[in-house]
Amino acid sequence: MLELAGITKHYRTRNGVVRAVEDVSFTVPPKGTMALVGESGCGKTTIAKIILQLERPISGTVRFEGADIATMSRAALHAYRRQVAAVFQDPYSSLNPRLRVHRIIAEPILAHERPGRAALDKRIAEVLDIVGLPATAATLYPHEFSGGQRQRIAIARALALQPRLMVLDEPVSALDVSIRAQVLNLLQDIQAEFGLTYLIIAHDLALVEHFSSDVAVIYLGRVAESGPTEPVFANPRHPYTQALLAAVPLPDPDHVLSETAATGEIASALNPPSGCRFHPRCPHVFAPCPATVPPAYPAGAGHHVACHLLKDSPA
Amino acid sequence: MAGAEPLLSVSGLGVFFGGGPDEVQATKDIDFAVYPGERVGIVGESGCGKTVTGLALLGLLPPATTRIVGSAMFEGQNLIGLSRDRLRRVRGRKISMIFQEPMSALDPVFTIGQQIGETIRTHFGASKAQARERAIDALASVGIPSPARVHDSYPHQLSGGMRQRAMIAIALVCEPRLLIADEPTTALDVTIQAQIIDLLLDLSTRNGTALLFITHDLGVIAETCTRMLTMYAGQVVEDAMVDDALVRPLHPYTSGLLRSLPRLSERGTVLPSIAGRVPTLRDMPTGCRFAERCAHRQVGCDQAQSIARIDATHRVRCHRHADFVLPGALTEREAAA
């Protein structure tokens, strides 16, 4: 459905070049849910922006159903934008506070179509109904809703053009704990009903395991490990994935948190470590790590691990 | 903890905002105790009153718009209504607080060293040279790799994890008896969060510092605390040992929160969610504040609920607690294994 190959994005700043995303490749299967996980600053949001064409990569290609979005005709691009929608983290800033909900949902529709007033109202009532809000919500302003309801409005807006791919950038992390489950369930229901493909960006590993079919673990702009969620989480092979999973605090009396799995600080993308970018924090570091960038070694069906440890012990 | 005197004993604590006819009550009838060296978590959603409770204890709420009732006894004196001078001798010296976002809690125009030095000189009257030495020791004790360099750095020159370590160093330099930590790891990445949790546990064990850990993250509570208070809509609804609360919660809200967490081992299933939303301060129900969202609501839930003691370590604010067995964080299979 969506295929990224060799995506690289650097930003020039006063202090030098920020290597935000480096040679990132992955494939999002149709009707699947691909999760990008990693810590803040690892480049996951930059990748989403490149897919949404809010940023241009300096190299690499993004293909949507086989077509390169960088070389699409204007008409094809217009069609692409209609099929890809996004929901962002903070529904307090992603909804214009001066517009009524009706206008917020109508805007993307009117950018692509010229429906009559009645047809437009009907469509808006439909998408509000899908996200569990009454049709009367259309006459209100965003501030009249709670955080969870605002995120429902953002989801309704994303659904307005009946997209096929939805980019979800931390869709529940700004919401209260007891509301998160409602919104996650809603997203799952919508996906099943309309056959949507999701790309979700998240830092909450438990959420990712619950929600996604495939996962790419990103560290400092590079993919450390990727594959179907189940084997990656059940048998993580990259020391960074292992460290991430070991560091998740669990509400389980018998669980012991491991703080030693990754020591030290996350390096800066301004001056990333040579070779494997994780090597200064890695408990298994050895000779090749600082010298060469590890290729993605296969580790089972669709499972890839960019770690020198796998060179001699593949799947 | 039987026999020992509590370090902090809070009773009937209530915080009102606004004043006059528009006054709203943010917290009501907060009762709890923290024993010396104990690690107590306060868990709840935003707006439930957990931060307000921490700020009220330290007299950090704006006095012009806040009214506080009840008492908080700490080492023989009531913190509520204490004069500013007396409070100043407690704050930073006997009780310290750390916050979620170290970038806004630290002063951007002073170096880390100046900010630690201020605390040391205020409470111990040390000379500048002595303060510097002690500050560098404090930075080293929180695991900062080059403490002398960090001492002379400004907050913006440090990473988020280092800033939080520096804030912990400032909070602990006077070896307080109680540290109030308000979401201290929420802004941090998960591998850095694990390091900070480990540091707090280590310091609390080493110095016998009691910890009052405010967070919305039940996982963080489970990893750090021995006891937890669940707050909902301005009230404590459950007070239990963490292991009991996780496995056998007695309040439907505690159970609902635990069940609604996506878990590392269950995929694709529908998450049990809590319907509805938290009532606002202006239309707080007179009866049980959770009743509207509760699957177990019945006759009697429209009456105000008092918190009942079940045994020596467990209290719950639900008159139906004996009527049902609620699921906790673990499935039956996991609990049996």
Side-chain angles (χ1 to χ4, degrees):
Chain A
M1 176 98 179
L2 184 77
E3 195 182 346
L4 274 70
I7 291 290
T8 298
K9 175 72 188 174
H10 294 172
Y11 293 96
R12 250 172 237 293
T13 70
R14 254 188 324 172
N15 302 319
V17 177
V18 175
R19 297 170 189 279
V21 177
E22 201 84 60
D23 194 17
V24 164
S25 305
F26 59 82
T27 305
V28 184
K31 300 187 183 176
T33 298
M34 173 92 195
L36 303 182
V37 294
E39 300 180 276
S40 49
C42 77
K44 38 190 207 298
T45 294
T46 303
I47 295 169
K49 284 182 175 172
I50 288 169
I51 293 167
L52 294 170
Q53 285 211 319
L54 301 172
E55 294 281 0
R56 278 181 194 286
I58 60 169
S59 63
T61 55
V62 177
R63 287 178 186 279
F64 183 73
E65 301 194 316
D68 183 348
I69 63 168
T71 58
M72 276 180 182
S73 66
R74 278 177 68 104
L77 209 52
H78 200 66
Y80 170 70
R81 290 202 176 111
R82 174 180 188 128
Q83 295 183 68
V84 181
V87 175
F88 298 99
Q89 174 169 1
D90 183 0
Y92 291 79
S93 58
S94 70
L95 302 178
N96 187 336
R98 300 169 65 148
L99 301 185
R100 292 179 199 271
V101 169
H102 185 279
R103 176 83 185 281
I104 286 172
I105 299 174
E107 271 196 341
I109 300 173
L110 296 174
H112 289 270
E113 296 171 23
R114 291 275 171 271
R117 177 82 204 183
L120 182 66
D121 289 354
K122 184 162 167 277
R123 182 85 108 355
I124 289 168
E126 275 168 13
V127 289
L128 285 171
D129 182 55
I130 293 168
V131 300
L133 290 173
T136 50
T139 61
L140 303 176
Y141 288 96
H143 76 263
E144 296 175 87
F145 296 89
S146 68
Q149 289 172 323
R150 281 185 222 203
Q151 199 59 307
R152 286 173 191 268
I153 294 167
I155 294 168
R157 174 177 61 184
L159 287 173
L161 284 166
Q162 296 163 313
R164 299 178 55 213
L165 172 69
M166 207 128 105
V167 176
L168 308 166
D169 189 353
E170 299 276 10
V172 299
S173 56
L175 306 179
D176 265 326
V177 184
S178 76
I179 304 300
R180 287 181 190 176
Q182 296 175 9
V183 173
L184 286 176
N185 287 339
L186 171 68
L187 287 169
Q188 270 176 339
D189 290 348
I190 290 171
Q191 180 174 36
E193 190 172 342
F194 301 101
L196 290 177
T197 304
Y198 283 164
L199 178 76
I200 183 170
I201 291 169
H203 69 281
D204 180 340
L205 291 149
L207 184 158
V208 166
E209 169 148 30
H210 176 84
F211 197 73
S212 69
S213 59
D214 297 82
V215 64
V217 180
I218 320 270
Y219 187 76
L220 270 178
R222 283 188 186 275
V223 177
E225 183 161 3
S226 63
T229 306
E230 209 167 336
V232 171
F233 276 62
N235 185 20
R237 302 290 300 274
H238 197 289
Y240 176 60
T241 315
Q242 293 167 357
L244 265 187
L245 288 170
V248 178
L250 296 180
D252 173 352
D254 300 323
H255 181 256
V256 180
L257 194 65
S258 166
E259 86 291 350
T260 50
T263 52
E265 302 253 293
I266 303 164
S268 162
L270 255 178
N271 186 17
S274 62
C276 170
R277 290 184 170 185
F278 187 60
H279 85 261
R281 302 180 71 195
C282 183
H284 307 290
V285 62
F286 66 123
C289 304
T292 47
V293 177
Y297 292 106
H303 188 173
H304 288 88
V305 184
C307 174
H308 291 298
L309 285 172
L310 270 87
K311 183 167 190 265
D312 302 314
S313 59
Chain B
M1 295 290 163
E5 280 288 305
L7 176 66
L8 171 72
S9 180
V10 175
S11 93
L13 188 68
V15 175
F16 298 81
F17 289 126
D22 289 334
E23 186 172 72
V24 291
Q25 184 162 17
T27 67
K28 188 167 191 264
D29 299 333
I30 306 287
D31 284 293
F32 68 92
V34 178
Y35 289 85
E38 194 184 17
R39 298 191 301 271
V40 179
I42 301 186
V43 70
E45 299 176 77
S46 50
C48 75
K50 54 192 194 304
T51 293
V52 163
T53 300
L55 294 175
L57 294 176
L58 286 179
L60 292 174
L61 292 167
T65 54
T66 316
R67 186 163 66 86
I68 304 177
V69 299
S71 68
M73 298 304 293
F74 177 82
E75 295 194 327
Q77 57 184 350
N78 185 359
L79 298 173
I80 307 302
L82 209 57
S83 72
R84 279 173 61 176
D85 279 354
R86 281 178 172 271
L87 256 180
R88 207 171 286 149
R89 268 176 263 164
V90 173
R91 270 196 308 241
R93 176 73 187 88
K94 300 280 192 178
I95 307 179
S96 279
M97 187 157 181
I98 57 176
F99 300 91
Q100 172 170 352
E101 194 15 89
M103 196 60 215
S104 47
L106 293 168
D107 192 323
V109 300
F110 292 102
T111 64
I112 300 295
Q114 286 168 323
Q115 298 185 52
I116 305 190
E118 184 187 1
T119 309
I120 298 169
R121 297 221 303 281
T122 304
H123 293 296
F124 297 109
S127 74
K128 270 198 164 175
Q130 285 170 325
R132 179 181 170 86
E133 197 176 317
R134 193 154 173 183
I136 292 176
D137 284 351
L139 290 169
S141 75
V142 296
I144 289 178
S146 40
R149 185 180 60 77
V150 169
H151 181 276
D152 299 325
S153 300
Y154 290 91
H156 76 269
Q157 295 173 305
L158 306 177
S159 69
M162 281 300 147
R163 280 200 285 264
Q164 197 55 282
R165 284 179 195 266
M167 193 155 74
I168 293 170
I170 296 171
L172 295 183
V173 68
C174 296
E175 295 174 7
R177 304 283 313 277
L178 174 66
L179 176 67
I180 302 176
D182 188 359
E183 302 268 12
T185 61
T186 305
L188 303 175
D189 287 317
V190 61
T191 55
I192 308 299
Q193 165 172 279
Q195 294 173 6
I196 298 291
I197 286 176
D198 182 61
L199 172 69
L200 286 171
L201 286 180
D202 182 47
L203 292 171
S204 138
T205 316
R206 207 182 330 147
N207 305 334
T209 308
L211 203 57
L212 189 60
F213 206 113
I214 298 170
T215 179
H216 70 281
D217 188 330
L218 283 156
V220 169
I221 295 256
E223 306 285 359
T224 49
C225 298
T226 48
R227 203 149 58 80
M228 76 181 225
L229 305 164
T230 311
M231 283 191 71
Y232 184 77
Q235 291 181 319
V236 174
V237 296
E238 186 158 5
D239 171 6
M241 301 310 284
V242 169
D243 290 3
D244 289 340
L246 295 181
V247 182
R248 288 175 296 276
L250 292 178
H251 197 283
Y253 175 65
T254 314
S255 172
L257 265 190
L258 287 165
R259 300 304 297 168
S260 72
L261 298 176
R263 288 165 341 117
L264 282 168
S265 52
E266 282 179 9
R267 200 149 50 81
T269 51
V270 176
L271 287 172
S273 63
I274 306 176
R277 52 193 272 210
V278 183
T280 63
L281 295 181
R282 297 209 178 273
D283 54 21
M284 209 46 92
T286 50
C288 169
R289 294 181 169 191
F290 184 62
E292 200 172 298
R293 305 176 72 189
C294 184
H296 304 279
R297 180 167 51 158
Q298 230 191 29
V299 182
C301 294
D302 56 350
Q303 303 295 312
Q305 304 288 310
S306 56
I307 191 157
R309 183 166 285 289
I310 310 306
D311 58 39
T313 59
H314 209 149
R315 296 183 303 151
V316 65
R317 195 182 291 275
C318 173
H319 71 110
R320 296 204 63 206
H321 65 84
D323 298 350
F324 37 64
V325 177
L326 297 168
L330 308 175
T331 63
E332 281 159 33
R333 177 181 53 78
E334 283 169 314

